[in-house]
């Protein structure tokens, strides 16, 4: 078995996941992990599958047959596992929406060699105050040699500059 990563994008409609799952199954594959979402009428996802090595090209061809319904890119999985010594860090962000929040936070994480494992963001109406709120949830992998105090100080500075609340756990 080999690991493949599928990226899928298309206009949202019922049956998209079932169609991809059926094709993976037809080729002896196993759907292992995924992150799927509908955003602004568009379905998008990243899917990790394992498939017998000898069936990879057949699977690719079948998935590319979905053009017009979904655009699918197939990538070989790296097989690399995260270092045992690395720890996960959870970061929650909440504040008034404005341009640059994701850029600033991801830049701090990058400067401290953290890798983003997952990130969800959302904007919504601020019911009582008017305007829009921005909320993010980030899980990052922290290398063993990271300086936690310097990271915390950098995140506190960004929170101050952006006027958002950042909770690190």
């Amino acid at each position: 078995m080999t690991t493949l990563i599928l990226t899928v994008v298309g206009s949202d409609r019922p049956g998209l996941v079932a169609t991809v799952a059926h094709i993976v199954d037809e080729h002896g594959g196993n759907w292992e992990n995924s992150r799927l979402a509908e955003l602004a009428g568009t379905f998008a996802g990243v899917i990790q599958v394992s498939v017998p090595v000898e069936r990879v090209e057949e699977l690719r061809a079948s998935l590319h047959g979905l053009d017009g319904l979904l655009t699918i890119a197939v990538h070989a999985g790296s097989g690399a596992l995260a270092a045992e010594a690395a720890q996960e860090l959870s970061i929650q962000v909440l504040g008034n929406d404005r341009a640059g929040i994701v850029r600033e936070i991801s830049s701090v994480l990058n400067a401290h060699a953290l890798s983003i494992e997952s990130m969800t963001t959302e904007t919504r109406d601020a019911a009582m105050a008017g305007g829009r709120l921005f909320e993010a949830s980030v899980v990052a992998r922290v290398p063993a040699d990271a300086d936690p105090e310097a990271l915390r100080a950098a995140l506190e500075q960004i929170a101050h500059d952006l006027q958002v609340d950042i909770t690190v756990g």
Side-chain angles (χ1 to χ4, degrees):
M1 299 291 271
T2 190
T3 299
L4 299 176
I5 304 300
L6 315 178
T7 57
V8 300
V9 178
S11 295
D12 191 34
R13 62 190 247 194
L16 295 177
V17 173
T19 300
V20 174
H22 179 73
I23 291 172
V24 169
D25 186 60
E26 277 183 334
H27 293 85
N30 183 39
W31 186 301
E32 295 182 358
N33 296 298
S34 61
R35 302 290 187 273
L36 309 170
E38 180 275 328
L39 299 168
T42 299
F43 172 77
V46 179
I47 306 161
Q48 176 186 341
V49 301
S50 59
V51 64
V53 174
E54 65 275 7
R55 310 260 338 248
V56 169
E57 291 312 313
E58 292 173 26
L59 176 62
R60 283 181 194 266
S62 291
L63 291 169
H64 287 296
L66 295 177
D67 282 346
L69 180 64
L70 283 170
T71 300
I72 301 180
V74 180
H75 310 273
S78 71
L81 297 175
E84 290 294 324
Q87 296 180 356
E88 285 188 351
L89 179 70
S90 175
I91 302 166
Q92 305 298 317
V93 180
L94 179 63
N96 290 325
D97 186 34
R98 62 173 275 227
I101 296 174
V102 172
R103 182 192 70 236
E104 294 293 334
I105 292 169
S106 62
S107 293
V108 166
L109 298 179
N110 181 49
H112 291 270
L114 273 70
S115 176
I116 296 174
E117 295 292 312
S118 67
M119 179 171 72
T120 58
T121 64
E122 177 183 25
T123 58
R124 64 178 186 273
D125 289 332
M128 300 299 278
R132 303 278 295 163
L133 286 178
F134 174 85
E135 186 171 4
S137 178
V138 179
V139 176
R141 187 154 303 278
V142 182
D145 62 349
D147 180 351
E149 292 308 313
L151 173 61
R152 190 171 301 277
L155 288 170
E156 287 174 0
Q157 182 61 50
I158 290 296
H160 179 266
D161 293 347
L162 295 174
Q163 297 179 341
V164 298
D165 292 326
I166 295 180
T167 307
V168 178

